[in-house]
Amino acid sequence: KAGVTQTPRYLIKTRGQQVTLSCSPISGHRSVSWYQQTPGQGLQFLFEYFSETQRNKGNFPGRFSGRQFSNSRSEMNVSTLELGDSALYLCASSLLGDRVNEQFFGPGTRLTVL
Amino acid sequence: GENVEQHPSTLSVQEGDSAVIKCTYSDSASNYFPWYKQELGKRPQLIIDIRSNVGEKKDQRIAVTLNKTAKHFSLHITETQPEDSAVYFCAANNQARQLTFGSGTQLTVLP
């Protein structure tokens, strides 16, 4: 099975711009979660999507949004970029069952805001 | 919400020695506790996980112990090797199945 893929791998944007990141989960996985990883804050949960619906949301401002398509692919969008948004953005997919299952991470998108 | 604290933030050990990383969690409803290893420039990968119905789980040189009463769990790596050098993250779920991660431990195995 192919692993989780993310595009693009690297992005450079300037303050005020917006950006869209994409995540393709492992085939058959319907749950996709997004995380922001920074050196000082570790892995911070952004949101989770399942069946095109946002199931959980972390403590991030409304500038961060996402969506999921019928094929389980997910996108996240960050509007009005700030310098502090520079980070590695990871998505993870998992099977959804009666209990929590392993999350498989993608390679991440490295976003640099200048 | 769930709060996961991880210690130490950095750990250096001699090759062949053991390494122990500890985490505490706050949500008594948590029942899934994974450990992820992230090598430099790579994605986090699950190395071991434990569910609340067991107290210990082993996989070769890696073991995890769970104390539900005290709300803490630990990762034990024996006979450490240079390739064990990485950042290790613990995590715990909440009732919405969302994972909260610890802040990470940079493990360095010295040859």
Side-chain angles (χ1 to χ4, degrees), chain A residues 10-19 21 36 63-64 78-89 109-114:
Chain A
Y10 302 92
L11 264 179
I12 299 176
K13 292 286 187 178
T14 56
R15 279 182 301 173
Q17 287 187 310
Q18 76 166 24
V19 66
L21 313 181
Q36 181 193 66
R63 301 185 296 107
F64 291 82
V78 188
S79 62
T80 320
L81 284 166
E82 300 177 359
L83 295 179
D85 296 333
S86 294
L88 180 67
Y89 290 88
T109 294
R110 172 76 60 187
L111 172 64
T112 302
V113 183
L114 302 176

Short mmCIF file of all heavy atoms in Angstrom, two decimals, chain A residues 10-19 21 36 63-64 78-89 109-114:
data_model
loop_
_atom_site.label_atom_id
_atom_site.label_comp_id
_atom_site.label_asym_id
_atom_site.label_seq_id
_atom_site.Cartn_x
_atom_site.Cartn_y
_atom_site.Cartn_z
N TYR A 10 7.64 21.63 -0.06
CA TYR A 10 8.20 22.90 0.41
C TYR A 10 7.43 24.06 -0.21
O TYR A 10 7.01 24.00 -1.35
CB TYR A 10 9.68 23.02 0.04
CG TYR A 10 10.53 21.90 0.59
CD1 TYR A 10 10.76 20.75 -0.16
CD2 TYR A 10 11.08 21.98 1.87
CE1 TYR A 10 11.52 19.72 0.34
CE2 TYR A 10 11.85 20.94 2.38
CZ TYR A 10 12.06 19.82 1.61
OH TYR A 10 12.81 18.79 2.11
N LEU A 11 7.26 25.11 0.61
CA LEU A 11 6.55 26.30 0.16
C LEU A 11 7.19 27.53 0.80
O LEU A 11 7.48 27.51 2.00
CB LEU A 11 5.09 26.25 0.61
CG LEU A 11 4.02 25.74 -0.36
CD1 LEU A 11 2.67 25.77 0.33
CD2 LEU A 11 4.00 26.56 -1.63
N ILE A 12 7.35 28.56 0.01
CA ILE A 12 7.80 29.83 0.55
C ILE A 12 6.75 30.88 0.17
O ILE A 12 6.42 31.03 -1.00
CB ILE A 12 9.18 30.25 0.01
CG1 ILE A 12 10.23 29.21 0.41
CG2 ILE A 12 9.57 31.63 0.55
CD1 ILE A 12 11.61 29.48 -0.16
N LYS A 13 6.23 31.55 1.17
CA LYS A 13 5.20 32.56 0.96
C LYS A 13 5.60 33.82 1.72
O LYS A 13 6.50 33.81 2.57
CB LYS A 13 3.84 32.06 1.47
CG LYS A 13 3.27 30.90 0.68
CD LYS A 13 2.73 31.36 -0.65
CE LYS A 13 1.99 30.25 -1.38
NZ LYS A 13 1.44 30.73 -2.67
N THR A 14 4.90 34.91 1.42
CA THR A 14 5.12 36.15 2.15
C THR A 14 3.91 36.44 3.02
O THR A 14 2.80 35.92 2.78
CB THR A 14 5.39 37.33 1.20
OG1 THR A 14 4.29 37.43 0.28
CG2 THR A 14 6.68 37.12 0.43
N ARG A 15 4.14 37.26 4.01
CA ARG A 15 3.07 37.63 4.95
C ARG A 15 1.86 38.15 4.21
O ARG A 15 1.99 38.90 3.23
CB ARG A 15 3.57 38.69 5.93
CG ARG A 15 4.36 38.15 7.07
CD ARG A 15 4.78 39.26 8.02
NE ARG A 15 5.59 40.27 7.33
CZ ARG A 15 5.96 41.41 7.90
NH1 ARG A 15 5.59 41.70 9.13
NH2 ARG A 15 6.69 42.26 7.22
N GLY A 16 0.69 37.79 4.65
CA GLY A 16 -0.54 38.25 4.05
C GLY A 16 -1.09 37.35 2.96
O GLY A 16 -2.27 37.43 2.62
N GLN A 17 -0.22 36.50 2.40
CA GLN A 17 -0.69 35.58 1.37
C GLN A 17 -1.48 34.43 2.00
O GLN A 17 -1.55 34.30 3.22
CB GLN A 17 0.49 35.02 0.58
CG GLN A 17 1.14 36.01 -0.37
CD GLN A 17 2.19 35.35 -1.24
OE1 GLN A 17 3.08 34.64 -0.75
NE2 GLN A 17 2.12 35.60 -2.55
N GLN A 18 -2.06 33.61 1.14
CA GLN A 18 -2.72 32.41 1.62
C GLN A 18 -2.08 31.19 0.98
O GLN A 18 -1.39 31.31 -0.05
CB GLN A 18 -4.22 32.44 1.35
CG GLN A 18 -4.61 32.17 -0.08
CD GLN A 18 -6.10 31.87 -0.21
OE1 GLN A 18 -6.92 32.25 0.63
NE2 GLN A 18 -6.48 31.16 -1.24
N VAL A 19 -2.30 30.03 1.58
CA VAL A 19 -1.66 28.82 1.08
C VAL A 19 -2.61 27.64 1.25
O VAL A 19 -3.42 27.62 2.18
CB VAL A 19 -0.33 28.57 1.83
CG1 VAL A 19 -0.59 28.23 3.31
CG2 VAL A 19 0.47 27.48 1.17
N LEU A 21 -2.51 23.39 1.31
CA LEU A 21 -1.70 22.18 1.38
C LEU A 21 -2.61 20.98 1.15
O LEU A 21 -3.77 20.98 1.55
CB LEU A 21 -1.03 22.06 2.75
CG LEU A 21 -0.35 23.31 3.32
CD1 LEU A 21 0.28 22.98 4.67
CD2 LEU A 21 0.68 23.83 2.35
N GLN A 36 0.53 20.85 13.24
CA GLN A 36 1.59 21.82 13.01
C GLN A 36 2.76 21.45 13.91
O GLN A 36 2.59 21.25 15.11
CB GLN A 36 1.11 23.23 13.36
CG GLN A 36 2.15 24.32 13.11
CD GLN A 36 1.77 25.64 13.76
OE1 GLN A 36 1.72 25.75 14.98
NE2 GLN A 36 1.52 26.66 12.94
N ARG A 63 -8.09 31.47 10.74
CA ARG A 63 -7.32 31.55 9.50
C ARG A 63 -6.94 30.16 8.99
O ARG A 63 -6.63 29.98 7.82
CB ARG A 63 -6.04 32.36 9.71
CG ARG A 63 -6.23 33.78 10.18
CD ARG A 63 -4.90 34.52 10.24
NE ARG A 63 -3.96 33.97 11.22
CZ ARG A 63 -2.88 33.27 10.91
NH1 ARG A 63 -2.57 33.04 9.64
NH2 ARG A 63 -2.07 32.82 11.87
N PHE A 64 -6.96 29.20 9.89
CA PHE A 64 -6.64 27.83 9.54
C PHE A 64 -7.95 27.08 9.28
O PHE A 64 -8.84 27.03 10.15
CB PHE A 64 -5.88 27.14 10.67
CG PHE A 64 -4.50 27.67 10.89
CD1 PHE A 64 -4.30 28.83 11.63
CD2 PHE A 64 -3.40 27.02 10.37
CE1 PHE A 64 -3.03 29.33 11.83
CE2 PHE A 64 -2.12 27.51 10.57
CZ PHE A 64 -1.93 28.67 11.30
N VAL A 78 -4.44 28.12 4.87
CA VAL A 78 -4.09 29.15 5.85
C VAL A 78 -4.18 30.49 5.13
O VAL A 78 -3.51 30.70 4.11
CB VAL A 78 -2.69 28.97 6.44
CG1 VAL A 78 -2.48 29.95 7.59
CG2 VAL A 78 -2.46 27.54 6.90
N SER A 79 -5.03 31.36 5.63
CA SER A 79 -5.18 32.67 5.00
C SER A 79 -4.40 33.71 5.80
O SER A 79 -4.04 33.49 6.96
CB SER A 79 -6.66 33.05 4.94
OG SER A 79 -7.18 33.15 6.24
N THR A 80 -4.13 34.83 5.15
CA THR A 80 -3.44 35.96 5.79
C THR A 80 -2.24 35.46 6.61
O THR A 80 -2.18 35.60 7.84
CB THR A 80 -4.39 36.74 6.71
OG1 THR A 80 -5.68 36.86 6.08
CG2 THR A 80 -3.84 38.15 6.94
N LEU A 81 -1.30 34.86 5.92
CA LEU A 81 -0.15 34.24 6.58
C LEU A 81 0.62 35.22 7.46
O LEU A 81 0.79 36.41 7.14
CB LEU A 81 0.80 33.66 5.53
CG LEU A 81 0.34 32.36 4.88
CD1 LEU A 81 1.17 32.06 3.63
CD2 LEU A 81 0.44 31.21 5.88
N GLU A 82 1.07 34.68 8.59
CA GLU A 82 1.91 35.43 9.53
C GLU A 82 3.26 34.72 9.64
O GLU A 82 3.37 33.52 9.33
CB GLU A 82 1.24 35.49 10.90
CG GLU A 82 -0.12 36.17 10.88
CD GLU A 82 -0.80 36.15 12.24
OE1 GLU A 82 -0.21 35.59 13.21
OE2 GLU A 82 -1.92 36.69 12.35
N LEU A 83 4.27 35.47 10.10
CA LEU A 83 5.61 34.87 10.23
C LEU A 83 5.56 33.63 11.11
O LEU A 83 6.26 32.64 10.86
CB LEU A 83 6.58 35.90 10.81
CG LEU A 83 6.89 37.12 9.95
CD1 LEU A 83 7.86 38.04 10.68
CD2 LEU A 83 7.46 36.71 8.60
N GLY A 84 4.74 33.67 12.14
CA GLY A 84 4.65 32.56 13.08
C GLY A 84 4.02 31.31 12.52
O GLY A 84 4.01 30.27 13.18
N ASP A 85 3.50 31.38 11.30
CA ASP A 85 2.91 30.20 10.67
C ASP A 85 3.98 29.32 10.04
O ASP A 85 3.68 28.21 9.57
CB ASP A 85 1.90 30.61 9.61
CG ASP A 85 0.71 31.36 10.19
OD1 ASP A 85 0.40 31.14 11.38
OD2 ASP A 85 0.11 32.17 9.46
N SER A 86 5.21 29.79 10.01
CA SER A 86 6.31 28.98 9.47
C SER A 86 6.45 27.72 10.32
O SER A 86 6.64 27.79 11.54
CB SER A 86 7.63 29.76 9.50
OG SER A 86 7.57 30.87 8.62
N ALA A 87 6.33 26.58 9.67
CA ALA A 87 6.33 25.32 10.41
C ALA A 87 6.31 24.17 9.42
O ALA A 87 6.18 24.37 8.21
CB ALA A 87 5.10 25.22 11.32
N LEU A 88 6.42 22.97 9.98
CA LEU A 88 6.20 21.75 9.20
C LEU A 88 4.76 21.33 9.46
O LEU A 88 4.35 21.19 10.61
CB LEU A 88 7.16 20.65 9.66
CG LEU A 88 7.04 19.30 8.94
CD1 LEU A 88 7.48 19.43 7.46
CD2 LEU A 88 7.88 18.23 9.64
N TYR A 89 3.99 21.17 8.40
CA TYR A 89 2.60 20.76 8.53
C TYR A 89 2.49 19.29 8.13
O TYR A 89 2.81 18.91 7.00
CB TYR A 89 1.69 21.65 7.68
CG TYR A 89 1.60 23.04 8.26
CD1 TYR A 89 2.53 24.02 7.91
CD2 TYR A 89 0.63 23.36 9.21
CE1 TYR A 89 2.48 25.29 8.48
CE2 TYR A 89 0.58 24.62 9.79
CZ TYR A 89 1.50 25.56 9.42
OH TYR A 89 1.45 26.82 10.00
N THR A 109 4.69 19.13 4.83
CA THR A 109 4.95 20.28 3.97
C THR A 109 5.66 21.33 4.82
O THR A 109 5.13 21.75 5.85
CB THR A 109 3.65 20.88 3.40
OG1 THR A 109 3.04 19.94 2.52
CG2 THR A 109 3.96 22.18 2.64
N ARG A 110 6.84 21.71 4.39
CA ARG A 110 7.61 22.73 5.11
C ARG A 110 7.21 24.09 4.57
O ARG A 110 7.50 24.42 3.42
CB ARG A 110 9.11 22.51 4.92
CG ARG A 110 9.99 23.61 5.47
CD ARG A 110 10.12 23.57 6.96
NE ARG A 110 10.70 22.33 7.45
CZ ARG A 110 10.80 22.01 8.74
NH1 ARG A 110 10.34 22.84 9.66
NH2 ARG A 110 11.33 20.87 9.11
N LEU A 111 6.53 24.89 5.38
CA LEU A 111 6.07 26.23 4.99
C LEU A 111 6.97 27.28 5.62
O LEU A 111 7.18 27.27 6.84
CB LEU A 111 4.62 26.46 5.42
CG LEU A 111 4.08 27.87 5.24
CD1 LEU A 111 4.01 28.24 3.76
CD2 LEU A 111 2.69 27.99 5.88
N THR A 112 7.50 28.14 4.80
CA THR A 112 8.29 29.27 5.28
C THR A 112 7.57 30.55 4.88
O THR A 112 7.24 30.74 3.71
CB THR A 112 9.70 29.26 4.68
OG1 THR A 112 10.35 28.03 5.02
CG2 THR A 112 10.53 30.43 5.20
N VAL A 113 7.31 31.40 5.88
CA VAL A 113 6.66 32.67 5.63
C VAL A 113 7.67 33.79 5.82
O VAL A 113 8.28 33.91 6.90
CB VAL A 113 5.45 32.87 6.57
CG1 VAL A 113 4.74 34.19 6.24
CG2 VAL A 113 4.48 31.71 6.43
N LEU A 114 7.87 34.57 4.78
CA LEU A 114 8.86 35.66 4.83
C LEU A 114 8.20 37.02 5.01
O LEU A 114 7.03 37.20 4.63
CB LEU A 114 9.69 35.66 3.55
CG LEU A 114 10.44 34.34 3.24
CD1 LEU A 114 11.13 34.44 1.90
CD2 LEU A 114 11.45 34.03 4.34
#
